Amino acid sequence: QVQLVESGGGLVQAGGSLRLSCAASGTFFRGNTMGWYRQAPGKQRELVAIISSGGMTNYGDSVKGRFTISRDNAKNTVYLQMNSLKPEDTAVYYCNIRTVTQNSWGQGTQVTVSS
């Protein structure tokens, strides 16, 4: 079983920054992909950014150039640095870890960007 604990959400003004963290614990393969998805009210969950254990990244189009994902494999932790935040970034952000046999989600952390 995998447990994901997220932190770092909150309220910020447009143009501001936030940093999300997600620590994984439990049993999982070292070869995994960790990342962030988000879901705004009335919308489907969408990709924000993912990063493989080898460091390969992929970003959603709406966050490219503003958000940066990174990870510390020794701590089994993934980070999301969010800069130049916009009101449309407001959503619940979910941490995810995926392997060939597992697909686990965190409980979500709220990010609210005021205009």
Side-chain angles (χ1 to χ4, degrees), residues 6-26:
E6 300 136 332
S7 60
L11 173 65
V12 64
Q13 288 188 333
S17 298
L18 282 174
R19 189 189 193 212
L20 305 183
S21 300
C22 173
S25 61

Side-chain angles (χ1 to χ4, degrees), residues 40-83:
K43 295 187 177 182
Q44 290 188 332
R45 191 171 295 188
E46 65 174 359
L47 167 71
V48 178
I50 55 175
I51 183 169
S52 71
S53 53
M56 293 184 63
T57 60
N58 188 31
Y59 293 90
D61 288 341
S62 62
V63 307
K64 286 180 180 176
R66 299 187 298 122
F67 292 9
T68 302
I69 191 168
S70 61
R71 63 187 289 167
D72 184 335
N73 289 333
K75 297 181 179 180
N76 294 321
T77 299
V78 63
Y79 306 96
L80 184 68
Q81 179 66 43
M82 304 185 292
N83 298 329

Side-chain angles (χ1 to χ4, degrees), residues 8-18 20 38-39 41 82 85-93 109-115:
L11 173 65
V12 64
Q13 288 188 333
S17 298
L18 282 174
L20 305 183
R38 68 186 182 188
Q39 188 167 17
M82 304 185 292
L85 282 161
K86 305 175 181 179
E88 50 264 43
D89 293 317
T90 295
V92 178
Y93 284 68
T109 185
Q110 177 70 45
V111 172
T112 302
V113 184
S114 62
S115 58

